[in-house]
Amino acid sequence: MELQLALDLVDIPQGIALVKEVESYIDIVEIGTPIVINEGLHAVKAMKEAFPNLKVLADLKVMDAGGYEVLKASEAGADIVTILAVAEDATIKGAVEEAKKQGGKKILVDMIGVKNLEQRAKEIDALGVDYICVHIGYDLQAEGQSPFEALQTVKKVVKNSKTAVAGGIKLSTLAEVVKAQPDLVIVGGGITGEDDKKAVASQMQQLIKQG
């Protein structure tokens, strides 16, 4: 089980400073969609250069032109790129093919907005993606939704891909997440919003390692 830190509301220097605090406790650093929109793919490049030992995920939420966008993210140093599950199968296939060409880059499919989770997870699992991520977005978190039930639904049907979970996970809810045994736990504000980021990240890593 790995821990991914999601950075969303920072610029490049702030992001690098934040990762420095917690780098020994995380496996993957995510350049979130807001940073990609504000800073472009050079945010991915800057993070990979600053932390060559960490994997960097570019949260592009690709919806079309999968191959091209994976190519561009790979050139910037991304190890993992996100594609939306509601994209066409052809887009997801194109992304997977390009990721392989780029020397084993990984594709994470984000299930945000998917209505029939079980059916779509089965279909995507057959397309050769690396991760299927259950994701309760910011707007639904505000309504009190959590991703645990959805994770169990997806885990039941997925045979080939690894599973990931994201959406408002905090130290207080992490034990419940770990019990569901995802391969990747994605935490944003649960670390970045804390005063002692290092201590929280360290405790999270311990829980994940025990899991």
Side-chain angles (χ1 to χ4, degrees), residues 105-123:
K105 304 290 185 180
K106 308 281 188 215
I107 297 298
L108 179 146
V109 172
D110 188 333
M111 301 294 279
I112 196 167
V114 170
K115 297 296 175 237
N116 188 340
L117 267 185
E118 199 169 316
Q119 166 83 23
R120 191 62 179 140
K122 266 188 207 167
E123 292 165 1

Side-chain angles (χ1 to χ4, degrees), residues 188-199:
I191 292 174
T192 59
E194 296 293 327
D195 292 333
D196 192 344
K197 297 169 186 51
K198 199 171 181 173

Side-chain angles (χ1 to χ4, degrees), residues 49-185:
E49 282 170 2
F51 303 99
N53 298 328
L54 287 177
K55 286 180 271 189
V56 175
L57 176 141
D59 190 17
L60 301 190
K61 294 192 173 77
V62 173
M63 190 64 188
D64 191 17
Y68 177 77
E69 298 203 359
V70 168
L71 168 66
K72 290 290 134 191
S74 300
E75 285 173 353
D79 301 289
I80 308 168
V81 185
T82 66
I83 316 289
L84 291 178
V86 289
E88 301 291 350
D89 286 2
T91 301
I92 297 172
K93 280 182 196 159
V96 168
E97 278 164 28
E98 189 58 48
K100 285 188 180 130
K101 272 190 221 160
Q102 292 301 319
K105 304 290 185 180
K106 308 281 188 215
I107 297 298
L108 179 146
V109 172
D110 188 333
M111 301 294 279
I112 196 167
V114 170
K115 297 296 175 237
N116 188 340
L117 267 185
E118 199 169 316
Q119 166 83 23
R120 191 62 179 140
K122 266 188 207 167
E123 292 165 1
I124 287 165
D125 192 36
L127 297 176
V129 308
D130 301 284
Y131 295 93
I132 295 176
C133 179
V134 169
H135 183 187
I136 300 298
Y138 185 77
D139 298 328
L140 289 185
Q141 283 174 46
E143 293 174 10
Q145 289 199 28
S146 94
F148 310 135
E149 212 174 299
L151 174 61
Q152 283 157 339
T153 302
V154 166
K155 272 199 75 82
K156 270 192 304 206
V157 297
V158 166
K159 306 258 190 302
N160 311 305
S161 313
K162 291 179 171 179
T163 54
V165 61
I169 297 165
K170 298 177 178 63
L171 188 54
S172 58
T173 56
L174 183 60
E176 195 181 345
V177 177
V178 167
K179 238 187 273 176
Q181 292 288 296
D183 299 288
L184 177 60
V185 177

